[in-house]
Amino acid sequence: MGIGADRPLIVINFKNYREAQGDGALRIAKAAEDVSRRTGVLVAVAPPQVTLMQVVRSVSIPVFAQHVDDVEPSSTTGFVPPESVSASGASGSIINHSEHRLPEDTVGRLVRRMRDLGLTSLVCASTPDEAARLARFSPDYIAIEPPELIGTGRAVSRVAPEVISRGVEAVHAVSPDVTVLCGAGIASGDDVRASIELGAMGVLVSSAIVRAPDPGAKVEEFARHASGVRGR
Ligand code: G3P
């Protein structure tokens, strides 16, 4: 079950940027919550793993883990089983981010385990072909992010628009219920609007918001451009 597959979504991955450590994660999450409440646009956050439960308890918007491991809640030191995400109260997790890749069969098992726990799965793919292969697991979301554009400020929707349109088509040919997001280099409200016009239901974004001098203002810019545009 997705967290709102029928309207544009902005997912902010805090990664491990310095700005998002400790209280920084809370500050950015609260700014995102405030924008979501004022604009009505769905905004979700993925703070550093060690801040997960505190962020969950501090905001009312969906909170995601950045990664889960296909291990049991047992003697698995330092790993993050889906059960830990569930117990923290988070809504779901990013899986297979290009900075934390997993074998495809592991992705499939994790999507199943997340579904069984009632958690939302947001699976990342680097290309439309990979997205189509991962779509057979029917995650809630697939985010297509060309790795070479991540963190560059060169938006996938501007420099590689065909990756989004082909990706949406490829995913929906396999699994029409999967909601497709895109990401990598998204830096402005116009990039967000273009992503949605190309067929994505929203964006997975990091540096432009997390590293911004005023993250709240940047989320607001993104949200204003996302509202009123319809994705597929
Ligand atoms: O998870 C989002 C990410 O990989 C994109 O990063 O900094 O290009 O928005 P960024």
Side-chain angles (χ1 to χ4, degrees):
M1 210 12 222
I3 54 173
D6 55 341
R7 60 192 175 116
L9 168 67
I10 297 169
V11 182
I12 309 168
N13 176 7
F14 295 6
K15 304 195 176 181
N16 281 318
Y17 283 125
R18 288 186 191 282
E19 293 84 343
Q21 298 303 320
D23 287 341
L26 290 176
R27 272 195 297 277
I28 301 169
K30 284 183 176 162
E33 176 188 45
D34 179 55
V35 171
S36 182
R37 194 177 45 236
R38 284 187 294 102
T39 62
V41 172
L42 197 53
V43 182
V45 293
Q49 305 285 66
V50 295
T51 68
L52 193 61
M53 196 162 88
Q54 189 162 4
V55 173
V56 167
R57 291 183 176 182
S58 305
V59 295
S60 54
I61 55 176
V63 179
F64 282 69
Q66 295 182 3
H67 174 83
V68 274
D69 295 296
D70 188 27
V71 298
E72 295 305 314
S74 177
S75 50
T76 46
T77 306
F79 289 86
V80 181
E83 287 77 4
S84 292
V85 175
S86 174
S88 77
S91 302
S93 183
I94 295 172
I95 299 172
N96 197 43
H97 190 278
S98 68
E99 292 153 12
H100 208 149
R101 303 262 300 169
L102 294 167
E104 282 184 14
D105 56 335
T106 306
V107 174
R109 276 196 304 277
L110 281 168
V111 169
R112 238 187 349 264
R113 288 180 64 181
M114 300 275 289
R115 191 179 301 126
D116 290 348
L117 289 162
L119 294 170
T120 297
S121 50
L122 193 171
V123 170
C124 295
S126 300
T127 62
D129 284 351
E130 187 190 7
R133 286 198 306 278
L134 296 175
R136 72 187 193 279
F137 302 131
S138 294
D140 298 295
Y141 295 92
I142 290 185
I144 305 175
E145 299 197 315
E148 67 279 8
L149 297 177
I150 290 177
T152 63
R154 298 172 60 234
V156 58
S157 48
R158 256 184 302 127
V159 305
E162 71 290 347
V163 169
I164 303 175
S165 41
R166 278 185 34 229
V168 172
E169 251 170 55
V171 167
H172 287 169
V174 175
S175 199
D177 291 337
V178 175
T179 301
V180 182
L181 308 177
C182 70
I186 302 289
S188 71
D190 285 334
D191 297 338
V192 175
R193 178 186 293 137
S195 300
I196 296 172
E197 285 172 351
L198 286 160
M201 187 52 90
V203 294
L204 176 59
V205 57
S206 183
S207 50
I209 290 175
V210 177
R211 312 209 69 197
D214 182 349
K218 202 67 189 172
V219 182
E220 174 140 12
E221 176 190 333
F222 280 24
R224 299 265 173 225
H225 283 73
S227 63
V229 200
R230 261 215 93 67
R232 276 191 263 158

